[in-house]
């Protein structure tokens, strides 16, 4: 499952047919292609947890799974973490440079 292409993930159909071990091995890019309807249809809590582990930080999938798992498990499932605090615009550079008003940036 770690090597599945996007087309293969889209053809998985019901996640109920996959094992929790296989779902946990999906790479985050493949997991991001999982249909929200498939998540809605998923009833097995262990499979929901497996998809949550493999889906990385995809907010669409994390939100859907967190809602389902919280409904199913109540307070036994932790809520999503709050978003990270934003760095103030006038913050000192992280590289310890001499000019605090400039930042270096890389273009990829």
């Amino acid at each position: 499952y770690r090597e599945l292409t996007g087309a293969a993930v889209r053809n998985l159909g019901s996640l109920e047919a996959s094992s929790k071990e296989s779902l946990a091995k999906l790479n985050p890019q493949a997991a991001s292609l999982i249909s929200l309807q498939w998540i809605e249809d998923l009833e097995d809590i262990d499979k929901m947890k497996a998809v949550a582990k493999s889906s990385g930080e995809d907010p669409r999938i994390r939100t859907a799974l967190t809602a389902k798992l919280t409904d199913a498990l109540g307070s036994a499932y932790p809520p999503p973490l709050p978003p990270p605090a934003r760095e103030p615009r006038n913050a000192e550079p992280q590289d310890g440079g001499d000019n605090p008003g400039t930042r270096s940036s890389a273009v990829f």
Side-chain angles (χ1 to χ4, degrees), residues 87-93 100-101 103:
E87 185 178 319
R89 288 190 178 264
N90 298 338
E92 293 290 323
R103 293 181 187 259

Side-chain angles (χ1 to χ4, degrees), residues 10-75:
R10 286 188 211 103
N11 289 320
L12 280 177
S14 171
L15 298 178
E16 290 291 347
S18 299
S19 71
K20 66 181 180 186
E21 293 80 14
S22 296
L23 292 172
K25 291 180 182 177
L26 282 172
N27 68 56
Q29 293 81 11
S32 72
L33 298 173
I34 291 174
S35 160
L36 290 180
Q37 185 60 51
W38 297 344
I39 292 172
E40 272 304 310
D41 295 341
L42 195 57
E43 296 297 326
D44 185 307
I45 291 173
D46 289 331
K47 290 181 181 182
M48 285 185 239
K49 289 179 181 178
V51 173
K53 287 179 183 176
S54 67
S55 65
E57 297 177 6
D58 185 309
R60 178 183 64 93
I61 292 177
R62 300 298 288 169
T63 300
L65 286 168
T66 298
K68 278 198 72 131
L69 286 165
T70 302
D71 285 346
L73 300 174
S75 63

